[in-house]
Amino acid sequence: MCPSTDPGWTPLFLTAGGLVMEMGGSNSHGAVVAREYGLPAVVGVRDAVARLADVTTVRVDGTSGRVEPVG
């Protein structure tokens, strides 16, 4: 989870299981890099960082745009 990404974040995608981002759209940096790495991504999630701050694991469904806590 993050507010947004920029090219400096690209190496972090190598260890990520998915992306939840507050700002951006389907052509934003995070969404494009996630597609390149085959990661599920949901972007434009208002207050994602604050709402999921205490959550350890989330399920990210890039097809449906759903993000849900696990466990």
Side-chain angles (χ1 to χ4, degrees):
M1 291 172 291
C2 58
S4 64
T5 66
D6 61 46
W9 286 63
T10 303
L12 300 175
F13 283 78
L14 295 171
T15 59
L19 173 68
V20 178
M21 196 166 67
E22 292 182 343
M23 295 182 271
S26 61
N27 288 323
S28 65
H29 175 266
V32 171
V33 175
R35 270 194 304 273
E36 289 293 320
Y37 284 111
L39 298 173
V42 179
V43 299
V45 181
R46 186 180 358 182
D47 300 322
V49 174
R51 291 169 43 194
L52 298 170
D54 296 328
V55 178
T56 303
T57 306
V58 295
R59 181 174 294 117
V60 180
D61 185 336
T63 302
S64 69
R66 292 183 56 94
V67 178
E68 55 190 3
V70 175

